């Protein structure tokens, strides 16, 4: 496959991705470029390490910049702290040629990437309901797939599960507080 075709395919993936898929792709790319930085450190390639590490920092800064701290509440604040910790660690990669710092950040990003991969497979409505359920604290007691499939009105703790009639109007999901821009 030539370079132009590969670039066009990649552009199409980004342009058609859902917000959850975009977040997954960003985490995946950050992990990938950090692995490149580790390889560059092992090969004593300073320029490649710097390029890869800078790209990882740009991605993490973008993820941090898209957080809506007002609507995202505690989840957004926790993510902001993870991103801040990651940025400080990534400075050590360049300053000290530190493989362990890059591995630490990969260790933080990998479970979040894996979680976003699961969420990216769900429809946009299921994703909004799952995020809202997490914000409400209801997912501790329910399986994610059950919470994502249930209407928001049925996600309160202890609410009986009944099938909603098709005549009832569906309420739109509330905003998640996590904003992603391309």
């Amino acid at each position: 496959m030539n370079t132009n075709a590969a670039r066009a395919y990649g552009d199409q993936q980004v342009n058609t991705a859902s917000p959850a898929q975009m977040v997954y792709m960003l985490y995946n790319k950050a992990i990938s470029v950090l692995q490149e930085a580790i390889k560059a450190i092992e090969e004593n390639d300073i320029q490649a390490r710097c390029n890869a590490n800078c790209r990882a920092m740009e991605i993490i800064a973008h993820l941090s910049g898209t957080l809506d701290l007002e609507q995202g509440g505690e989840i957004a604040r926790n993510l902001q702290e993870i991103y801040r910790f990651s940025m400080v660690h990534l400075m050590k990669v360049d300053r000290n040629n530190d493989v362990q710092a890059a591995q630490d950040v990969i260790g933080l990003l990998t479970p979040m990437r894996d979680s976003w991969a699961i969420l990216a497979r769900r429809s946009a409505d299921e994703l909004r309901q799952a995020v809202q359920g997490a914000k409400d604290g209801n997912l501790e007691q329910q399986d994610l797939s059950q919470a994502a499939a249930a209407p928001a009105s049925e996600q309160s703790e202890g609410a009986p599960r009944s099938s909603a009639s098709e005549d009832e109007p569906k309420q739109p999901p509330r905003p998640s507080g996590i904003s992603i821009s391309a």
Side-chain angles (χ1 to χ4, degrees):
M1 179 183 273
N2 68 36
T3 306
N4 290 336
R7 182 168 290 135
Y9 177 74
D11 289 346
Q12 181 182 8
Q13 280 187 308
V14 169
N15 292 333
T16 60
S18 70
Q21 290 167 324
M22 287 291 292
V23 175
Y24 164 75
M25 289 189 282
L26 288 168
Y27 278 122
N28 204 44
K29 185 63 175 181
I31 291 166
S32 173
V33 295
L34 285 172
Q35 290 167 337
E36 290 174 24
I38 290 169
K39 182 179 178 196
I41 291 170
E42 292 167 349
E43 295 174 354
N44 204 26
D45 186 343
I46 305 297
Q47 188 62 51
R49 183 217 58 221
C50 183
N51 292 344
N53 194 50
C54 286
R55 183 67 181 127
M57 291 175 80
E58 288 171 357
I59 293 167
I60 292 170
H62 177 76
L63 286 165
S64 181
T66 59
L67 292 173
D68 184 337
L69 297 173
E70 186 176 310
Q71 288 191 358
E74 185 178 353
I75 293 170
R77 286 189 298 277
N78 289 341
L79 285 170
Q80 184 181 45
E81 287 305 312
I82 290 169
Y83 297 150
R84 188 174 294 141
F85 174 86
S86 296
M87 293 294 279
V88 168
H89 257 56
L90 292 181
M91 288 182 221
K92 295 177 186 176
V93 171
D94 281 335
R95 192 173 43 237
N96 303 328
N97 222 24
D98 188 351
V99 170
Q100 186 60 50
Q103 289 171 337
D104 290 346
V105 174
I106 289 171
L108 282 173
L109 298 180
T110 299
M112 292 191 301
R113 180 216 39 208
D114 296 345
S115 295
W116 279 101
I118 293 167
L119 290 173
R121 292 185 200 117
R122 300 184 187 279
S123 72
D125 288 338
E126 289 175 325
L127 173 62
R128 282 188 216 105
Q129 289 177 359
V131 170
Q132 187 59 46
K135 279 178 57 179
D136 293 341
N138 294 337
L139 292 183
E140 296 172 353
Q141 315 230 331
Q142 299 175 10
D143 178 73
L144 181 61
S145 62
Q146 291 173 336
S153 63
E154 293 181 9
Q155 288 187 12
S156 63
E157 244 179 65
R161 297 235 178 243
S162 62
S163 62
S165 82
E166 293 181 22
D167 297 334
E168 292 179 21
K170 293 185 178 179
Q171 294 182 349
R174 291 179 279 180
S176 68
I178 299 174
S179 171
I180 302 301
S181 60

